[in-house]
Amino acid sequence: DYITQQFSSAGTNLIAVLPGRIQRGPSGGAFGQQAPLTLSDYRAVAANTPNLTDASVDFTRPGAFAYGDKTSEVNVTGVLPNFTTIRNWYARAGRSIDEADEGGRSRVVVLGQTIADDLFEPGEDPLDKIVRINQVPFRVIGVLEEKGQGVGGNSIDSQVIVPLSTAQGRLFGTRSSTTPGNAVDFINVSAYDEESIDAAIDEITWVLRERRGIEFAEDDFTVASQQDILSVAGQIT
């Protein structure tokens, strides 16, 4: 029940596209060629999947976060403005990333609840405070609603959200620019409804196989519905 709740809170009719082929079964894990996903892959999927309502990407790297004399190691996730709706994760205070932030590579950040609690005094308002990520100053524009522990016991509130363009261009540019089209960790796709999920998975698979020139070889990526991921997690647990 707990695992089901965590996945259902992530979004509606969500499909995940991941690099590499994922082993289904108790051993889990990825195998096969690890061809990265890119922003170009995301754009192709978004433009050529009739059964989707929206699509977005995640790009996460560890970063050093500081406010005043307090420091913390956090996961910094670069997102597009539609992250909140496709992942069902909204700001409880302030606002989330918008189109102007993404287009301007703005140095703005939205805090996970745990980070806000750890680095700010009780009653202190984090909004408009200046914090540093990898020594780069950022202005706090929001605090995300609390999500609690994720599958595997890790807190999904212990991360911060910045515009994707800022993460790739200002914070981790040297790490992502080695892949043409800018690498992303995975692509999130929201199907129209439950009945459209299988069709959307087939469409995404066709788009990526065509882009990668895979005719007879195995897929070097995985397209999985929430139910697929839940099944793997259930076998592991």
Side-chain angles (χ1 to χ4, degrees), residues 8-9 18 20 30 32-33 41 50 56-57 64 69 93 111 126 150 161 163 167-168 192 201 205 211 215 220 226:
S8 65
S9 68
L18 307 95
Q33 182 181 359
D41 290 330
S56 191
V57 300
D69 59 355
L111 308 180
I161 308 299
Q168 293 186 326
Y192 272 108
I201 288 175
T205 301
R211 279 185 54 79
E215 186 174 358
D220 56 5
Q226 283 175 294

mmCIF file of all heavy atoms in Angstrom, residues 8-9 18 20 30 32-33 41 50 56-57 64 69 93 111 126 150 161 163 167-168 192 201 205 211 215 220 226:
data_model
loop_
_atom_site.group_PDB
_atom_site.id
_atom_site.type_symbol
_atom_site.label_atom_id
_atom_site.label_comp_id
_atom_site.label_asym_id
_atom_site.label_seq_id
_atom_site.Cartn_x
_atom_site.Cartn_y
_atom_site.Cartn_z
ATOM 1 N N SER A 8 1.548 6.601 -6.976
ATOM 2 C CA SER A 8 0.342 7.307 -7.406
ATOM 3 C C SER A 8 0.447 8.795 -7.136
ATOM 4 O O SER A 8 -0.157 9.606 -7.837
ATOM 5 C CB SER A 8 -0.893 6.727 -6.703
ATOM 6 O OG SER A 8 -0.828 6.946 -5.312
ATOM 7 N N SER A 9 1.239 9.180 -6.122
ATOM 8 C CA SER A 9 1.395 10.604 -5.811
ATOM 9 C C SER A 9 2.340 11.291 -6.782
ATOM 10 O O SER A 9 2.434 12.515 -6.809
ATOM 11 C CB SER A 9 1.916 10.782 -4.381
ATOM 12 O OG SER A 9 3.246 10.307 -4.258
ATOM 13 N N LEU A 18 13.771 5.785 -19.575
ATOM 14 C CA LEU A 18 15.066 5.742 -18.915
ATOM 15 C C LEU A 18 16.130 5.225 -19.877
ATOM 16 O O LEU A 18 15.839 4.428 -20.766
ATOM 17 C CB LEU A 18 15.019 4.835 -17.683
ATOM 18 C CG LEU A 18 13.936 5.105 -16.640
ATOM 19 C CD1 LEU A 18 12.728 4.215 -16.898
ATOM 20 C CD2 LEU A 18 14.458 4.872 -15.239
ATOM 21 N N GLY A 20 19.156 2.825 -21.051
ATOM 22 C CA GLY A 20 19.501 1.441 -20.758
ATOM 23 C C GLY A 20 18.264 0.569 -20.629
ATOM 24 O O GLY A 20 17.145 1.054 -20.456
ATOM 25 N N ALA A 30 20.040 -2.169 -14.465
ATOM 26 C CA ALA A 30 20.063 -1.853 -15.891
ATOM 27 C C ALA A 30 21.211 -2.598 -16.550
ATOM 28 O O ALA A 30 22.243 -2.838 -15.939
ATOM 29 C CB ALA A 30 20.221 -0.348 -16.090
ATOM 30 N N GLY A 32 22.955 -3.688 -20.785
ATOM 31 C CA GLY A 32 22.959 -3.317 -22.190
ATOM 32 C C GLY A 32 23.647 -1.975 -22.387
ATOM 33 O O GLY A 32 24.167 -1.369 -21.459
ATOM 34 N N GLN A 33 23.652 -1.506 -23.623
ATOM 35 C CA GLN A 33 24.304 -0.242 -23.944
ATOM 36 C C GLN A 33 23.612 0.913 -23.226
ATOM 37 O O GLN A 33 22.399 1.055 -23.275
ATOM 38 C CB GLN A 33 24.273 -0.021 -25.456
ATOM 39 C CG GLN A 33 24.979 1.260 -25.908
ATOM 40 C CD GLN A 33 24.890 1.450 -27.405
ATOM 41 O OE1 GLN A 33 24.309 0.614 -28.100
ATOM 42 N NE2 GLN A 33 25.450 2.525 -27.904
ATOM 43 N N ASP A 41 15.901 14.001 -27.737
ATOM 44 C CA ASP A 41 15.001 12.855 -27.595
ATOM 45 C C ASP A 41 13.675 13.305 -26.996
ATOM 46 O O ASP A 41 12.598 12.898 -27.456
ATOM 47 C CB ASP A 41 15.628 11.797 -26.678
ATOM 48 C CG ASP A 41 16.817 11.103 -27.313
ATOM 49 O OD1 ASP A 41 16.848 10.979 -28.545
ATOM 50 O OD2 ASP A 41 17.722 10.693 -26.557
ATOM 51 N N PRO A 50 1.036 10.985 -30.096
ATOM 52 C CA PRO A 50 -0.336 11.511 -30.050
ATOM 53 C C PRO A 50 -1.075 11.199 -28.760
ATOM 54 O O PRO A 50 -1.991 11.941 -28.384
ATOM 55 C CB PRO A 50 -1.009 10.826 -31.245
ATOM 56 C CG PRO A 50 0.108 10.451 -32.166
ATOM 57 C CD PRO A 50 1.263 10.118 -31.276
ATOM 58 N N SER A 56 7.984 15.938 -19.864
ATOM 59 C CA SER A 56 8.990 16.769 -19.221
ATOM 60 C C SER A 56 10.242 15.932 -19.011
ATOM 61 O O SER A 56 10.296 14.764 -19.413
ATOM 62 C CB SER A 56 8.462 17.321 -17.889
ATOM 63 O OG SER A 56 9.324 18.317 -17.375
ATOM 64 N N VAL A 57 11.258 16.518 -18.397
ATOM 65 C CA VAL A 57 12.508 15.801 -18.163
ATOM 66 C C VAL A 57 12.999 16.065 -16.748
ATOM 67 O O VAL A 57 12.581 17.025 -16.093
ATOM 68 C CB VAL A 57 13.608 16.221 -19.165
ATOM 69 C CG1 VAL A 57 13.197 15.932 -20.590
ATOM 70 C CG2 VAL A 57 13.961 17.699 -18.996
ATOM 71 N N ALA A 64 26.609 21.268 -3.610
ATOM 72 C CA ALA A 64 26.870 21.810 -2.275
ATOM 73 C C ALA A 64 25.981 23.022 -2.065
ATOM 74 O O ALA A 64 26.064 24.005 -2.809
ATOM 75 C CB ALA A 64 28.339 22.187 -2.145
ATOM 76 N N ASP A 69 26.052 30.272 7.540
ATOM 77 C CA ASP A 69 27.118 29.351 7.942
ATOM 78 C C ASP A 69 26.664 27.896 7.915
ATOM 79 O O ASP A 69 27.378 27.001 8.375
ATOM 80 C CB ASP A 69 27.631 29.708 9.342
ATOM 81 C CG ASP A 69 26.538 29.653 10.406
ATOM 82 O OD1 ASP A 69 25.359 29.436 10.041
ATOM 83 O OD2 ASP A 69 26.863 29.826 11.592
ATOM 84 N N ALA A 93 4.556 27.272 -0.749
ATOM 85 C CA ALA A 93 4.823 28.682 -0.480
ATOM 86 C C ALA A 93 5.588 29.251 -1.662
ATOM 87 O O ALA A 93 6.421 28.570 -2.262
ATOM 88 C CB ALA A 93 5.638 28.847 0.803
ATOM 89 N N LEU A 111 12.903 25.096 -2.885
ATOM 90 C CA LEU A 111 13.466 24.186 -1.886
ATOM 91 C C LEU A 111 12.522 23.047 -1.563
ATOM 92 O O LEU A 111 11.310 23.238 -1.454
ATOM 93 C CB LEU A 111 13.767 24.938 -0.591
ATOM 94 C CG LEU A 111 14.602 26.221 -0.681
ATOM 95 C CD1 LEU A 111 14.794 26.808 0.716
ATOM 96 C CD2 LEU A 111 15.940 25.956 -1.355
ATOM 97 N N PRO A 126 11.920 31.583 4.085
ATOM 98 C CA PRO A 126 13.018 31.402 3.116
ATOM 99 C C PRO A 126 12.864 32.229 1.836
ATOM 100 O O PRO A 126 13.849 32.432 1.120
ATOM 101 C CB PRO A 126 12.950 29.904 2.772
ATOM 102 C CG PRO A 126 12.076 29.277 3.807
ATOM 103 C CD PRO A 126 11.130 30.358 4.235
ATOM 104 N N GLY A 150 10.452 8.394 -0.160
ATOM 105 C CA GLY A 150 10.197 7.706 -1.410
ATOM 106 C C GLY A 150 10.478 6.229 -1.278
ATOM 107 O O GLY A 150 10.874 5.731 -0.222
ATOM 108 N N ILE A 161 15.045 22.441 -6.556
ATOM 109 C CA ILE A 161 14.628 22.498 -7.950
ATOM 110 C C ILE A 161 15.093 23.813 -8.565
ATOM 111 O O ILE A 161 14.872 24.883 -7.996
ATOM 112 C CB ILE A 161 13.089 22.394 -8.060
ATOM 113 C CG1 ILE A 161 12.564 21.182 -7.288
ATOM 114 C CG2 ILE A 161 12.669 22.333 -9.524
ATOM 115 C CD1 ILE A 161 13.076 19.860 -7.766
ATOM 116 N N PRO A 163 15.749 25.833 -12.705
ATOM 117 C CA PRO A 163 15.434 25.682 -14.133
ATOM 118 C C PRO A 163 16.426 24.744 -14.812
ATOM 119 O O PRO A 163 17.624 24.752 -14.505
ATOM 120 C CB PRO A 163 15.559 27.110 -14.672
ATOM 121 C CG PRO A 163 15.363 27.997 -13.483
ATOM 122 C CD PRO A 163 15.961 27.246 -12.332
ATOM 123 N N ALA A 167 20.591 24.615 -14.635
ATOM 124 C CA ALA A 167 21.361 23.453 -14.181
ATOM 125 C C ALA A 167 22.389 23.046 -15.221
ATOM 126 O O ALA A 167 23.560 22.791 -14.897
ATOM 127 C CB ALA A 167 20.423 22.294 -13.867
ATOM 128 N N GLN A 168 21.982 22.997 -16.484
ATOM 129 C CA GLN A 168 22.880 22.537 -17.535
ATOM 130 C C GLN A 168 23.858 23.612 -17.981
ATOM 131 O O GLN A 168 24.998 23.312 -18.344
ATOM 132 C CB GLN A 168 22.068 22.037 -18.725
ATOM 133 C CG GLN A 168 21.278 20.774 -18.430
ATOM 134 C CD GLN A 168 20.593 20.201 -19.659
ATOM 135 O OE1 GLN A 168 20.166 20.946 -20.528
ATOM 136 N NE2 GLN A 168 20.493 18.891 -19.727
ATOM 137 N N TYR A 192 -2.944 10.327 -21.934
ATOM 138 C CA TYR A 192 -4.275 10.930 -21.800
ATOM 139 C C TYR A 192 -5.084 10.272 -20.684
ATOM 140 O O TYR A 192 -5.694 10.939 -19.857
ATOM 141 C CB TYR A 192 -5.047 10.806 -23.120
ATOM 142 C CG TYR A 192 -4.790 11.952 -24.057
ATOM 143 C CD1 TYR A 192 -4.021 11.774 -25.202
ATOM 144 C CD2 TYR A 192 -5.307 13.212 -23.811
ATOM 145 C CE1 TYR A 192 -3.773 12.823 -26.072
ATOM 146 C CE2 TYR A 192 -5.069 14.269 -24.668
ATOM 147 C CZ TYR A 192 -4.302 14.074 -25.805
ATOM 148 O OH TYR A 192 -4.061 15.113 -26.647
ATOM 149 N N ILE A 201 3.220 4.098 -24.978
ATOM 150 C CA ILE A 201 4.496 3.380 -24.831
ATOM 151 C C ILE A 201 4.987 2.902 -26.196
ATOM 152 O O ILE A 201 6.174 3.027 -26.530
ATOM 153 C CB ILE A 201 4.337 2.207 -23.848
ATOM 154 C CG1 ILE A 201 4.191 2.735 -22.418
ATOM 155 C CG2 ILE A 201 5.529 1.253 -23.947
ATOM 156 C CD1 ILE A 201 3.921 1.666 -21.387
ATOM 157 N N THR A 205 8.421 4.231 -28.001
ATOM 158 C CA THR A 205 9.421 3.240 -28.399
ATOM 159 C C THR A 205 9.771 3.380 -29.873
ATOM 160 O O THR A 205 10.948 3.347 -30.262
ATOM 161 C CB THR A 205 8.898 1.818 -28.107
ATOM 162 O OG1 THR A 205 8.613 1.703 -26.704
ATOM 163 C CG2 THR A 205 9.929 0.772 -28.496
ATOM 164 N N ARG A 211 15.012 7.269 -34.068
ATOM 165 C CA ARG A 211 16.051 8.284 -33.841
ATOM 166 C C ARG A 211 17.424 7.646 -33.676
ATOM 167 O O ARG A 211 18.430 8.200 -34.126
ATOM 168 C CB ARG A 211 15.735 9.095 -32.584
ATOM 169 C CG ARG A 211 14.720 10.195 -32.783
ATOM 170 C CD ARG A 211 14.561 11.011 -31.509
ATOM 171 N NE ARG A 211 15.818 11.520 -31.007
ATOM 172 C CZ ARG A 211 16.452 12.585 -31.494
ATOM 173 N NH1 ARG A 211 15.957 13.246 -32.524
ATOM 174 N NH2 ARG A 211 17.596 12.996 -30.962
ATOM 175 N N GLU A 215 17.381 -1.119 -35.775
ATOM 176 C CA GLU A 215 16.482 -1.897 -36.619
ATOM 177 C C GLU A 215 16.326 -3.321 -36.104
ATOM 178 O O GLU A 215 15.214 -3.834 -35.973
ATOM 179 C CB GLU A 215 16.987 -1.917 -38.068
ATOM 180 C CG GLU A 215 16.024 -2.581 -39.038
ATOM 181 C CD GLU A 215 16.477 -2.451 -40.470
ATOM 182 O OE1 GLU A 215 17.526 -1.813 -40.706
ATOM 183 O OE2 GLU A 215 15.792 -2.974 -41.355
ATOM 184 N N ASP A 220 18.079 0.251 -26.415
ATOM 185 C CA ASP A 220 19.071 0.717 -25.451
ATOM 186 C C ASP A 220 18.445 1.746 -24.506
ATOM 187 O O ASP A 220 19.099 2.637 -23.999
ATOM 188 C CB ASP A 220 20.296 1.294 -26.158
ATOM 189 C CG ASP A 220 19.940 2.431 -27.123
ATOM 190 O OD1 ASP A 220 18.750 2.828 -27.172
ATOM 191 O OD2 ASP A 220 20.842 2.916 -27.824
ATOM 192 N N GLN A 226 3.853 3.438 -14.782
ATOM 193 C CA GLN A 226 3.923 3.373 -13.315
ATOM 194 C C GLN A 226 3.690 1.947 -12.831
ATOM 195 O O GLN A 226 4.328 1.493 -11.876
ATOM 196 C CB GLN A 226 2.870 4.300 -12.698
ATOM 197 C CG GLN A 226 3.241 5.768 -12.737
ATOM 198 C CD GLN A 226 2.108 6.629 -12.220
ATOM 199 O OE1 GLN A 226 1.054 6.695 -12.831
ATOM 200 N NE2 GLN A 226 2.314 7.283 -11.110
#
